[in-house]
Amino acid sequence: MSDDARTGLGRVGIWTFVYEGQPAGRVRESAAELEELGYGAIWHGEAFGRDTVGQAWLLLSATRRITVASGIANIAFRDPIAMAGATRTLGEAFPGRYLLGLGGHRVDDTVHEVDGYPVPARGRALATMRGYLDAMDAVPAHGPVPDPAPRRVLAALGPRMLALAAERTWGAHPYFVPVEHTARARAIMGPDAFLGVEQAVVLDTDLGRAREVATAHVAGYVAAAAHQRANVRRLGFGDADLTGGPSRRLVDAIVAYGDTEAVCRRVREHLDAGADHVCVQVLSADSAALPEREWRELAPALVAPSPAPDSRQGSGSQASSGAVPPGPAGRVRLRT
């Protein structure tokens, strides 16, 4: 993969669930501002808010240049023929700006519910995803076909899904992962596959308060998501980290919290470990509120040129000294 292809999304983007609960007008305004702030991509989740296709159209139509990426479109929510048709339409209407992230596969047969509604499932992970990709590829096209076709990535965590992502798609979009996972993912997928990593952050210099928000975020996934529990166990976290609430060690590995320098350091660590792109998910005590202050505050440090780092140390265990420096040659890095 060329350097131009790797950096098409920029080095840093924004990941958010918050748009699902916001009126369309506010989403348009916010997306346009993220583009002007210089972020390379907007990644949007999918639960029971807006359909991922409608959300992508809303974001793409409100912006001019920024990449819009599903993070992820749940394969259990729509047939492959619907996903293939929608992807072609978005790719034709907004050339080069739509990235399809696919996921939602299960690691077991547990039936999950949201507000009493059973969440649809299609089966076990690897075979289900391979079959879904095969089905999408086989859908005939009786309308305009974008050239090139929109890229795809997989929500991959385990070794076999990461290998499938490298084999069948542009690459992988790991979510809820520490830096160690990024290094492992790069080793499994090789040098050419795209690796776009989600990183949760809490921008708050009151470290006690920030840690409470971070702990609540990690606790939710540890309690409800079997695939996330399995993944952190593969990385060496055990019962002591998962039982009775997440350990401080696990929280600190998953969430970067503190000041801007703390966030910059974690992003740099992912890039140094092999990520091509890091999409930052800002967490706050009010999970429904748009974190506009934090997005604005982070933008100059993450996506704009910065002065040389000084010797001051920031607050908290994740703090770094100054702006994010360039990494080793051969991998994309944050600008300095």
Side-chain angles (χ1 to χ4, degrees):
M1 182 188 304
S2 69
D3 287 343
D4 286 345
R6 287 187 184 280
T7 58
L9 278 74
R11 298 173 178 92
V12 179
I14 292 295
W15 197 106
T16 185
F17 258 129
V18 179
Y19 284 154
E20 286 206 327
Q22 295 292 323
R26 288 289 293 115
V27 174
R28 292 190 188 97
E29 294 170 358
S30 176
E33 182 179 6
L34 288 179
E35 181 174 66
E36 291 307 308
L37 287 171
Y39 291 107
I42 301 172
W43 297 74
H44 56 97
E46 180 180 38
F48 281 84
R50 283 192 184 88
D51 165 77
T52 190
V53 179
Q55 187 76 285
W57 193 281
L58 180 62
L59 293 167
L60 286 162
S61 64
T63 54
R64 296 175 296 162
R65 303 177 304 275
I66 198 169
T67 297
V68 171
S70 60
I72 47 73
N74 194 318
I75 63 173
F77 288 8
R78 59 192 60 81
D79 190 87
I81 192 171
M83 192 73 259
T87 302
R88 290 169 183 163
T89 301
L90 289 167
E92 192 261 334
F94 305 96
R97 294 182 54 213
Y98 180 58
L99 174 62
L100 173 62
L102 293 169
H105 37 271
R106 295 280 179 81
V107 297
D108 58 34
D109 297 322
T110 303
V111 177
H112 298 276
E113 294 187 351
V114 174
D115 299 336
Y117 185 89
V119 179
R122 285 184 176 266
R124 301 297 290 272
L126 199 70
T128 299
M129 183 58 76
R130 189 183 294 275
Y132 196 90
L133 292 171
D134 289 342
M136 281 189 67
D137 290 343
V139 174
H142 290 182
V145 177
D147 183 19
R151 294 186 176 101
R152 304 175 192 165
V153 295
L154 300 185
L157 294 175
R160 292 189 297 170
M161 191 62 73
L162 287 164
L164 181 65
E167 173 196 349
R168 292 292 304 274
T169 74
W170 194 39
H173 172 47
Y175 179 96
F176 195 81
V177 292
V179 172
E180 181 184 356
H181 183 274
T182 298
R184 292 191 183 191
R186 176 53 67 199
I188 291 167
M189 295 196 303
D192 295 331
F194 171 79
L195 182 56
V197 180
E198 177 270 348
Q199 175 61 59
V201 308
V202 183
L203 192 61
D204 190 339
T205 55
D206 183 326
L207 293 183
R209 186 170 57 202
R211 194 175 299 119
E212 288 181 4
V213 173
T215 300
H217 173 75
V218 175
Y221 281 97
V222 166
H227 62 298
Q228 300 292 4
R229 291 196 300 273
N231 188 56
V232 296
R233 284 186 181 278
R234 277 192 297 266
L235 295 169
F237 295 92
D239 290 342
D241 299 293
L242 300 169
T243 304
S247 68
R248 169 75 178 276
R249 182 172 79 104
L250 178 58
V251 172
D252 286 2
I254 297 294
V255 184
Y257 56 89
D259 58 13
T260 301
E261 292 179 350
V263 175
C264 286
R265 178 182 179 185
R266 184 66 61 88
V267 169
R268 180 190 63 193
E269 289 171 350
H270 279 295
L271 294 171
D272 286 345
D276 296 299
H277 174 88
V278 179
C279 41
V280 173
Q281 179 180 191
V282 174
L283 309 175
S284 66
D286 183 357
S287 61
L290 283 171
E292 293 173 309
R293 175 190 63 81
E294 292 91 337
W295 289 342
R296 292 165 187 156
E297 187 173 336
L298 286 169
L302 292 177
V303 300
S306 305
D310 61 26
S311 59
R312 293 173 298 168
Q313 295 296 315
S315 303
S317 59
Q318 290 88 6
S320 69
S321 58
V324 180
R331 300 223 57 82
V332 294
R333 292 292 175 259
L334 291 175
R335 291 177 291 179
T336 57

